[in-house]
Amino acid sequence: KAGVTQTPRYLIKTRGQQVTLSCSPISGHRSVSWYQQTPGQGLQFLFEYFSETQRNKGNFPGRFSGRQFSNSRSEMNVSTLELGDSALYLCASSWNRGGPGETQYFGPGTRLLVL
Amino acid sequence: AQSVTQLDSQVPVFEEAPVELRCNYSSSVSVYLFWYVQYPNQGLQLLLKYLSGSTLVESINGFEAEFNKSQTSFHLRKPSVHISDTAEYFCAVSVAGNTGKLIFGQGTTLQVKP
């Protein structure tokens, strides 16, 4: 079974632009979570989607948004990019309802560089 | 609120030596505990997790971790490390009601030297 895939793998943008990242979960997985990884702040939870509904959200500004499609694929969008948004963005999928004990399977990430 | 502290940012060790990566957590409710590993330029892979039952959990590649509720710890151990174990290791917790959210520690870089 194919793992979690993320596209693109690398991205360079300039301040003020917006960006959309894509995540395809493992087939059959219905919960998708997004994380931001930076050297300074570590791994931080952005949001989680299940059945096209955002069920949980981390402490990020409204410039960070996401959505999930009926096939469970998910996108996240960052508008008005800032230098501090440079990070590795990871998505993870889990089998059922994204419950606390479920294993999250991570994709390789999208590395975003904002200049 | 929950938090995770990994006490060592870097752990250098020689090949075939034992290693312990320390993890402490803070939570007022019951938690589920995870260890993930991240190799360079890759995403995270689950090493092992504790949900309930036996406090000692093992992975297929020789790592083990012990849940200690009184000390709120979940330290990761391996009796003999290999060069290929060089990676960054993350301890994480999740709690009921906080759907889809893992709270991670800052990570520990394990550097295995020949």
Side-chain angles (χ1 to χ4, degrees):
Chain A
K1 191 179 276 189
V4 178
T5 58
Q6 291 187 246
T7 56
R9 291 292 310 275
Y10 303 92
L11 207 49
I12 300 175
K13 292 285 187 179
T14 57
R15 278 180 297 175
Q17 288 186 310
Q18 74 165 16
V19 67
T20 299
L21 312 181
S22 180
C23 171
S24 293
I26 292 172
S27 178
H29 285 197
R30 299 168 65 192
S31 170
V32 174
S33 297
W34 287 89
Y35 296 85
Q36 181 195 63
Q37 185 178 20
T38 61
Q41 300 298 315
L43 280 152
Q44 294 187 290
F45 172 77
L46 282 156
F47 29 65
E48 186 261 358
Y49 286 87
F50 179 84
S51 289
E52 303 178 63
T53 300
Q54 184 184 93
R55 298 191 301 178
N56 201 357
K57 189 177 189 306
N59 189 26
F60 279 82
R63 300 185 297 108
F64 292 81
S65 63
R67 60 178 175 169
Q68 186 181 36
F69 302 94
S70 59
N71 61 358
S72 295
R73 190 176 71 85
S74 178
E75 290 181 346
M76 68 162 282
N77 183 277
V78 187
S79 62
T80 318
L81 283 166
E82 301 177 359
L83 296 179
D85 296 333
S86 294
L88 181 67
Y89 291 89
L90 294 162
C91 84
S93 70
S94 59
W95 173 248
N96 195 5
R97 296 190 60 80
E102 288 186 34
T103 298
Q104 293 189 17
Y105 296 85
F106 284 79
T110 295
R111 187 165 296 281
L112 172 64
L113 177 62
V114 182
L115 301 176
Chain B
Q2 296 77 39
S3 66
V4 178
T5 302
Q6 291 183 242
L7 298 162
D8 305 295
S9 59
Q10 293 189 4
V11 173
V13 64
F14 286 104
E15 194 172 19
E16 298 183 6
V19 70
E20 178 180 78
L21 307 183
R22 296 180 292 168
C23 172
N24 286 88
Y25 67 91
S26 172
S27 177
S28 58
V29 298
S30 295
V31 298
Y32 302 88
L33 294 154
F34 303 79
W35 275 100
Y36 279 86
V37 60
Q38 186 177 34
Y39 298 101
N41 299 316
Q42 294 186 28
L44 282 71
Q45 302 172 28
L46 179 72
L47 262 182
L48 46 75
K49 66 181 181 181
Y50 172 78
L51 302 182
S52 65
S54 173
T55 57
L56 184 66
V57 290
E58 299 177 349
S59 72
I60 57 172
N61 54 0
F63 284 94
E64 65 179 30
E66 186 159 19
F67 170 59
N68 188 318
K69 188 174 182 179
S70 62
Q71 297 188 7
T72 60
S73 68
F74 190 54
H75 301 333
L76 182 70
R77 302 184 184 95
K78 190 171 185 181
S80 176
V81 294
H82 303 289
I83 296 288
S84 59
D85 293 323
T86 296
E88 190 157 19
Y89 293 78
F90 292 93
C91 181
V93 303
S94 66
V95 299
N98 220 342
T99 308
K101 178 178 180 179
L102 288 169
I103 301 162
F104 287 92
Q106 285 295 102
T108 297
T109 300
L110 175 61
Q111 301 164 323
V112 182
K113 304 175 182 180

